[in-house]
Structure formats: structure tokens, C-alpha cells
Amino acid sequence: MPIYRAPVKDTQFVLDAVVGLDKYSNLPGFADATPDVVRAILEEGGKFCENVIAPLNLSGDIEGCTRHDDGSVTTPAGFKSAYDQFVEAGWGTLMADTEYGGQGLPYVVGTAFSEYMSSANMAFGMYPGLNEGAQAAIEAVGSHEQKAKFLPNMVKGQWTGTMNLTEPHCGTDLGLIRTRAAPQPDGTYAITGTKIFISAGEHDLSDNIIHLVLAKTTGAPDNVKGISLFIVPKVIVNDDGTLGARNAVKCGSIEHKMGIHANSTCVMNYDGATGYLIGEENKGLRAMFIMMNAARLGVGVQGLAMGEVAYQNAVIYAKDRIQGRALSGPAHPEAKADPIIVHPDVRRMLMDGRAFNEGARALILWGALQVDLAKKAPTPEERQLADDLISLLTPVIKGYCTDLGYRIATESQQVFGGHGYIREWGMEQFVRDARIAQIYEGTNGIQAMDLVGRKLGQNGGRGTQAYLALVGEALKDAAEDDRLAVIATPLSAALGDLQTATLWLLQHGMARPDNAGAAATAYLHLMGIVALGHMWLVMARASHAALDAGTADPDFYTAKLVTARYFAERYFPDAAALRAKLEAGSEAMMALPLEAF
């Protein structure tokens, strides 16, 4: 049976050394995030994830969710009790606004807990994760009455939320949606249509489910400009806040999926269900993208989370599994064989995981800080900069971290050999669960096109220029310490590749759009390498400082420096290759006639 241990110490290091949480104590919410409070959240949250939801991961995957004849859905054994404990402990209230019963703590602190939850049980973590996204949309564009009516119970976790976009005939191209919203005399709308792939669409964890549904009103343009967003509760909420009649929305079936079996991915049928317009009519995409952007960052967390838990189990197995002899001579001459962790190729897979996980954790938490600063920084200029940075890096966090998270999960499975292919060891579940993160909330190809087609040139390239300058400044600072050259020198080269690739795209992508499409994934991965490399430079500098100061835990910081060197030697060389791929253009890629395929 697989295990999970929350990486509390590493998270704390990132919050201190990379995020610099203490520097923002003057900002709303940050003042309450004292070192003692944050430490308690990480430690107790880690224990909850380790002891309550991680033990349900394998059993929940095997049992899955069950749909009943009346359309109701039962989650696997133990999930309802675990969710009740989650609600009672207030874990879902960490980041929520105090006005609606939340604790109002920084997004970056809640993100750290989200990683633990996803590693321990990704399917379980999706239920509250989707709820948070729905809350964000209602809080951003809902009316005062809608916020007061829905948010308090959603924040408490007594009600949960979903997002309903995809339909059987369309996914990313939302202009093709057919779900209709007919206005009613009382100001509500009758919602009719079918949505698919709706995560947590129906379940037994909460008393009500607040669906946010994209639909087109009568007479609206039949394209993306005609999309509106509606609140469609599973159970009608009376004016006094009590629950009334069951709404005309029902789970038609549960999708049979490759992974995340314990999360109910539903086909949802709306048969004239009562809905409430949220935000302006025909402006639904703006509101939905508030959810989507939050969800994309959350999916990036899932990529890291699967890489982390798979790596942890691979390390344990590699230390225990006895097979073969070390190439440099027996490591344990008294035994018949050595543990497989002595073999360089096993070390390669483990170090790949360690270097990615620790770098991705730093990038994700640094990105979460930008979400906070975009709302709470003291000056408009600082808020704009933070918003520009996280807008640019959101597709990178989602795309690169899930691509690499899946790769680390499969390499960790490989460490187990044949046992990795057997269900009881848990590794094949991590691989299956990790795979969806590359697909949903916009496939990684869509993330790459979003980065190249929208984010690079957005606002005249303001965010791109700011980020490249930020990494450049970090390199200038690193020049003061020769010990950092081992990572600063290859980072500088990779940054040069990224800058050159950016100029190439601006020149050749506009002239021939297929060039941008052909280069997009390579460009996203190139920016991902630079982004993680930037984080490793910051962490290496902090580690040297700790060792210079006489830390009580030199082994931790020495391991950081070794891992930084590994990242420099094994990840940065890919930057030049990625640049070469994207500069190859689209000619050969698009040359074959359709009938040749």
C-alpha cells in the first residue's frame, strides 16, 4: 500500500526563502499569516491529508462512485466521513473572504495545503477545489444578493460548486454550445441542455451543489459573444436561505474514466432547470475564466502533487529492493545484492523527480503569491506587475508542471519494475490520475497556444518583458557569488534561448500562423525550464546563505545545492534543443496532404 508524507519542511523553506512571506505582513490577510499560524496549518493540514484522506486513495480508486436509478451518486466508502472532518476542521475556509465566513488567509498559504490534499488523494481534493473556483466566480461578478445567498454555505463546505462548460459536440470551442436559457416572467431562466465531463457534478458529500453553467439566452449571438453564465443550484434555495424543491437538473451517467475514479465525473442533464443570471448577459466567458484561471493553477498543483507522491514511494522502494551490485563494487558486501538505489539509472529517475518537484513547488507558490499581490499589493503598479506575471505564467504552470508531473509519475513507476504495474502498489494509479491533468481545464496544447497566441503579446508584451527582466535581475544579483555559477551560467544561456525564441515567434509567427502553432509546445517547455531554473537559482542562493550562517540543519541545504546542480546539468541542456525545434518552423509538420495520413 502506498504512503504519503506532506513535505512540510520543504514548503516552509519555499515560503521563507522564495516567497518571503514575512515581507508582506502589512497586506490584508498576510498579517494573520504569522509564522506560528502558517506552521500550524502546514503541520496539521499535512497530518489530516496523511492520516484521513491518503488511506482512502487506493480503496476509493477501486470502488469508484456509484450512480443510482434516481440520478443520485454515492462516493466511495469513507469519503463522506472524511469530507465531514474536512468541513468541521475548516480546511475549506482558509482562503475565503472573512465576510462570508472564511479565514481570509493568503492564497499562497491555501495553495500549499492544496498540494498536500492532491498528493494524498487527488480525487477527493477535487470536490473542495472546484467549490473554491465557483466561489471565486460568484464573488467576482455576482450581485450582492447572490453572494449573500450562496457564498456562506459554500465557504463552510455545506454546499459545493461546479463549473459546466463542455458539451458532447464541443470542448474548447465554447462558441458552439447549445445549452439554452429561456427568460421567465419572474426574472429567472429555464436552462435546458446537456453538459459532459462535469467533475463533482453529483455526489453525497454536501447538502447542495451550486452549478455554474454556460448557456445562450434566447436571441443571443450564436457564438462566443452570446454566452452567459448562470447559477443553477441542485436544490432551490428559498429567500430565507433554506433549501426548497429539487431543481430540474440530474446526473444522467458517470463517465468511465482512466483515473480519478473516486471523483464523480458526470453527464449533467438540464431540463428547464431554474437558473439565475450571474454578471451581465452575453458576458459569461469573462466570469467563467475567473474559474478557469483558478482551476488551471490548481491543475498545475495536481501535476506537482502526483510527481511528489509517486517520487516518495519510489524512494522507499529503491532503498528496500535488493537486486544486483553497484557498478563501482558491492555497496553491501555482507549481503547477496545491493539496494537498487545504488544504480545510476535508478538515481537518474529519482533525481529527475526530486529536481522537478522541489522546483515546481517553488514556482507554484511564487505564482500563488502573485495572485495575492495582484489584489493586495499597496500600489497600482505593483498590482499590475503581479497580474502581468501570473497571467503570463498560468499556462506554463498548468502545462509544464502537468507534463513533467506525469513524466515523473511514470519514471517513479519504472523504479518499481514489474511491481509498478500491479495495482496494490499504487503506482499505476498515480500514473492514471496524473494523466488527466494534461487534458482537462484546457489541454496542454491549448495552454501552449494561449501562451504563444495571447499571453506573449498581451498589453504590448508588457508581462513578457517584465518576466524576462525579472530573471535577468536575478542573474545579475547572482554574479556577486561565484558559487552560484553552476546554475547561473546555464540559466543565463537558457534565458538567452528563450529571448531569441520569443523574437523568432514575433517575426515568424505573425507572418505564418502555423509557425506559432508548431512552436507553441516547445516554447512553453522552454519557458518552463527557465521558470524552474529561476526558482532553483533563488533556492541555491538561500541555501548558501543558510550554510554560511551556521544552520542547525546543514544536510537539508547541502541536498538543495546538489539538487540544484543536478537540475542545471540535466534540465538546462534541453533549452537549446527546444529552441532548435521551434525554429524549425511548420513546413515539414504541415507538408503532408490529408490523404497521406
Side-chain angles (χ1 to χ4, degrees):
M1 176 133 176
I3 61 91
Y4 172 66
R5 294 293 175 263
V8 171
K9 187 170 186 177
D10 199 63
T11 304
Q12 191 71 65
F13 167 74
V14 172
L15 292 177
D16 292 341
V18 178
V19 173
L21 204 59
D22 60 314
K23 294 186 294 188
Y24 304 100
S25 59
N26 61 317
L27 300 182
F30 283 83
D32 296 325
T34 64
D36 288 344
V37 168
V38 172
R39 188 178 304 109
I41 289 171
L42 298 180
E43 291 176 352
E44 295 306 313
K47 290 176 184 176
F48 172 80
C49 294
E50 293 168 2
N51 300 327
V52 178
I53 62 174
L56 300 173
N57 193 43
L58 182 59
S59 62
D61 178 71
I62 294 171
E63 180 181 349
C65 295
T66 303
R67 180 189 177 276
H68 306 285
D69 291 341
D70 62 356
S72 63
V73 171
T74 303
T75 52
F79 269 54
K80 180 67 170 75
S81 174
Y83 185 76
D84 289 344
Q85 294 177 62
F86 173 89
V87 171
E88 184 178 356
W91 292 117
T93 69
L94 290 177
M95 300 178 286
D97 195 316
T98 55
E99 182 178 354
Y100 306 109
Q103 298 182 50
L105 290 169
Y107 181 78
V108 64
V109 175
T111 299
F113 173 72
S114 296
E115 181 206 327
Y116 299 172
M117 191 158 51
S118 291
S119 277
N121 194 323
M122 182 168 156
F124 180 94
M126 291 172 65
Y127 292 102
L130 287 158
N131 188 25
E132 290 169 2
Q135 290 172 42
I138 294 173
E139 188 171 354
V141 298
S143 67
H144 177 75
E145 292 75 19
Q146 288 171 336
K147 294 176 187 179
K149 190 172 190 175
F150 296 104
L151 286 179
N153 282 319
M154 294 176 74
V155 168
K156 283 187 283 189
Q158 293 180 354
W159 300 350
T160 54
T162 70
M163 53 195 298
N164 285 233
L165 291 78
T166 307
E167 299 186 5
H169 60 284
C170 71
T172 301
D173 191 353
L174 294 173
L176 299 176
I177 66 172
R178 296 172 183 163
T179 299
R180 290 293 183 264
Q184 303 300 297
D186 62 357
T188 64
Y189 290 77
I191 311 298
T192 301
T194 296
K195 299 288 186 177
I196 63 171
F197 305 158
I198 308 307
S199 301
E202 174 62 30
H203 55 80
D204 60 348
L205 301 183
S206 60
D207 298 332
N208 201 2
I209 303 174
I210 310 304
H211 302 290
L212 295 190
V213 183
L214 287 183
K216 293 175 181 174
T217 55
T218 303
D222 195 21
N223 52 46
V224 293
K225 295 181 179 180
I227 296 174
S228 300
L229 183 65
F230 298 87
I231 296 174
V232 187
K234 170 184 171 180
V235 182
I236 298 295
V237 181
N238 298 321
D239 291 339
D240 62 0
T242 60
L243 295 180
R246 185 75 160 79
N247 207 353
V249 52
K250 191 175 184 180
C251 170
S253 63
I254 295 177
E255 306 283 7
H256 299 283
K257 312 186 296 291
M258 176 179 177
I260 53 171
H261 294 154
N263 192 270
S264 53
T265 306
C266 300
V267 174
M268 301 300 298
N269 296 320
Y270 293 85
D271 188 14
T274 298
Y276 310 90
L277 179 68
I278 176 172
E280 298 179 52
E281 187 173 355
N282 300 336
K283 302 286 186 179
L285 277 187
R286 174 183 172 271
M288 184 57 78
F289 269 108
I290 294 169
M291 284 190 72
M292 286 291 290
N293 286 332
R296 286 170 175 174
L297 292 172
V299 174
V301 172
Q302 291 178 340
L304 159 63
M306 289 296 97
E308 174 66 30
V309 68
Y311 163 79
Q312 287 188 16
N313 284 275
V315 168
I316 292 171
Y317 185 84
K319 289 180 177 180
D320 289 343
R321 177 67 167 175
I322 306 299
Q323 189 165 299
R325 286 296 191 188
L327 298 178
S328 56
H332 298 278
E334 76 285 356
K336 292 184 177 180
D338 293 325
I340 62 172
I341 198 168
V342 304
H343 302 309
D345 196 58
V346 172
R347 285 291 187 102
R348 172 189 61 82
M349 293 184 283
L350 296 179
M351 289 300 293
D352 276 355
R354 185 185 186 103
F356 165 72
N357 293 335
E358 294 180 13
R361 180 171 299 113
L363 176 62
I364 286 169
L365 292 178
W366 180 85
L369 173 69
Q370 307 313 308
V371 174
D372 283 315
L373 295 180
K375 299 176 182 177
K376 301 176 180 179
T379 68
E381 293 78 12
E382 290 173 288
R383 292 193 293 273
Q384 185 67 72
L385 173 61
D387 188 63
D388 287 344
L389 290 173
I390 194 57
S391 294
L392 175 72
L393 289 173
T394 290
V396 178
I397 290 172
K398 195 281 185 184
Y400 186 71
C401 289
T402 58
D403 278 348
L404 271 289
Y406 177 72
R407 192 187 94 188
I408 299 309
T410 58
E411 287 189 351
S412 297
Q413 180 191 34
Q414 186 77 12
V415 170
F416 281 69
H419 291 298
Y421 207 64
I422 305 301
R423 171 177 275 188
E424 68 189 71
W425 289 88
M427 301 306 290
E428 58 87 32
Q429 182 190 351
F430 297 145
V431 172
R432 288 186 289 105
D433 286 355
R435 187 65 182 89
I436 186 57
Q438 298 171 284
I439 298 173
Y440 61 11
E441 306 306 343
T443 67
N444 285 358
I446 293 295
Q447 301 305 314
M449 284 303 301
D450 179 45
L451 175 63
V452 167
R454 293 182 64 245
K455 299 301 174 61
L456 280 188
Q458 198 169 51
N459 300 311
R462 188 177 64 205
T464 305
Q465 294 170 27
Y467 182 66
L468 296 176
L470 182 72
V471 180
E473 285 299 316
L475 285 166
K476 286 182 183 178
D477 293 341
E480 301 171 3
D481 189 341
D482 291 341
R483 296 174 299 181
L484 295 174
V486 67
I487 188 167
T489 299
L491 173 59
S492 180
L495 179 63
D497 287 327
L498 180 61
Q499 291 168 323
T500 302
T502 303
L503 291 173
W504 188 93
L505 276 171
L506 292 175
Q507 294 170 1
H508 298 273
M510 294 180 66
R512 184 175 181 181
D514 278 348
N515 282 335
T521 293
Y523 186 86
L524 182 144
H525 277 241
L526 175 53
M527 186 172 281
I529 289 171
V530 169
L532 259 66
H534 176 214
M535 293 295 104
W536 271 114
L537 178 62
V538 174
M539 290 191 289
R541 188 170 188 174
S543 297
H544 277 302
L547 289 167
D548 291 345
T551 175
D553 190 4
D555 290 347
F556 176 85
Y557 296 101
T558 300
K560 278 287 176 195
L561 293 173
V562 171
T563 310
R565 178 184 171 192
Y566 182 88
F567 183 92
E569 294 176 352
R570 294 285 177 154
Y571 278 74
F572 278 135
D574 292 342
L578 289 165
R579 175 186 159 190
K581 285 183 179 181
L582 70 87
E583 289 180 349
S586 61
E587 186 174 348
M589 189 177 292
M590 306 301 291
L592 285 179
L594 296 181
E595 57 271 17
F597 285 91

